Amino acid sequence: MKQFSLFDIVGPDMIGPSSSHTAGAARISFMAFKIFGLAIKTVVFELHGSFAKTYKGHGSDKALLAGIMGIKHNDVRLKDAYDLAYNQLDYTFIEADLGDVHPNTVRITMTSDQGVVSVIQGSSIGGGNAIITKINDVDVEIDGMYDTLITVHKDKPGMIVKLTTELLKENINIAFMKVYREDKGKNAIMVLETDEVISKESLEHLKSVDGVFKTTYISRGGQ
């Protein structure tokens, strides 16, 4: 299991009154923004549990708006998220029951200018830490604490070898690797967490691998 430092528990470098409800919320939506990878036209935030009850008082609404616009959790612009979203983003906050999930959970539905829709769910788990638990209908586990590569690719033999070989060329060590799939022979999602930064050249090579539909790179700490 991954270990958290005392700094993680006490709290991060952040803007806002609450590490769980502000910094954690911003991390969730920032990772959702990075994973979606398209210009967002409309976004719906479905707030569960304590997020639903305290999101205005603890600034979760501002944090979620900021993150979905690509603003980091420790950026002073977070406080002005509503002003920055004006005329830029069509957003809605809804209180929802998302079932048996962490009390600080939000489901984010994003729609691009071209009508592409993606649904990403995440939880703020304390100390400003956050985890993405679902991408569309696929259960995942992405916390952004390492440099993280996410690929969507065809579920077929040899794909993992092709992708990891590209990292071997740069002597990049894989700290954690998880593979998820919709169903046998359909799309698969691979999450690689690495000890080193992946270069732009390697990312471009990964995008060009036959059978890869999409790549997303999130640098350490969900930034």
Side-chain angles (χ1 to χ4, degrees):
M1 293 180 63
K2 295 181 185 179
Q3 300 296 316
F4 292 105
S5 68
L6 177 62
F7 177 76
D8 293 323
I9 302 302
V10 172
D13 174 22
M14 54 170 273
I15 303 297
S18 169
S19 60
S20 292
H21 289 186
T22 312
R27 283 186 184 273
I28 294 169
S29 60
F30 186 87
M31 285 193 284
F33 160 77
K34 294 285 284 186
I35 292 168
F36 190 46
L38 299 172
I40 300 170
K41 182 178 181 181
T42 64
V43 58
V44 177
F45 300 101
E46 294 177 78
L47 303 161
H48 171 84
S50 59
F51 262 1
K53 302 304 179 186
T54 64
Y55 73 94
K56 291 183 179 178
H58 285 179
S60 303
D61 51 347
K62 293 181 180 180
L64 289 167
L65 269 180
I68 215 67
M69 291 187 289
I71 297 171
K72 301 174 185 178
H73 65 283
N74 56 358
D75 191 317
V76 295
R77 292 179 295 163
L78 186 150
K79 297 180 295 183
D80 302 317
Y82 276 107
D83 291 336
L84 294 170
Y86 185 73
N87 284 338
Q88 175 181 333
L89 193 64
D90 182 6
Y91 57 86
T92 305
F93 292 97
I94 299 173
E95 295 184 20
D97 183 354
L98 300 179
D100 186 19
V101 295
H102 192 284
N104 294 334
T105 295
V106 58
R107 182 163 60 200
I108 305 173
T109 302
M110 298 162 286
T111 304
S112 74
D113 290 336
Q114 296 78 32
V116 178
V117 179
S118 184
V119 182
I120 292 177
Q121 184 167 300
S123 301
S124 176
I125 57 176
N129 297 293
I131 183 169
I132 299 298
T133 57
K134 191 180 287 288
I135 300 176
N136 296 325
D137 293 325
V138 180
D139 293 324
V140 298
E141 186 178 336
I142 303 167
D143 61 18
M145 298 306 292
Y146 286 77
D147 284 270
T148 303
L149 172 70
I150 306 167
T151 66
V152 180
H153 59 268
K154 181 71 173 178
D155 179 36
K156 63 179 181 179
M159 286 303 301
I160 293 174
V161 172
K162 287 182 181 179
L163 294 167
T164 53
T165 297
E166 287 297 326
L167 301 183
L168 177 60
K169 291 176 182 177
E170 282 202 20
N171 200 33
I172 291 174
N173 189 53
I174 298 171
F176 302 94
M177 181 174 72
K178 311 178 192 75
V179 181
Y180 314 87
R181 64 183 183 182
E182 297 173 349
D183 205 349
K184 185 177 180 179
K186 295 186 178 180
N187 290 350
I189 296 175
M190 182 168 66
V191 180
L192 288 174
E193 297 172 294
T194 66
D195 290 328
E196 293 83 23
V197 174
I198 302 175
S199 71
K200 291 182 179 179
E201 290 77 13
S202 286
L203 291 173
E204 288 301 318
H205 288 155
L206 289 164
K207 289 178 183 178
S208 66
V209 172
D210 183 45
V212 173
F213 306 125
K214 183 179 179 182
T215 63
T216 300
Y217 185 56
I218 303 174
S219 61
R220 196 175 305 255
Q223 298 180 26

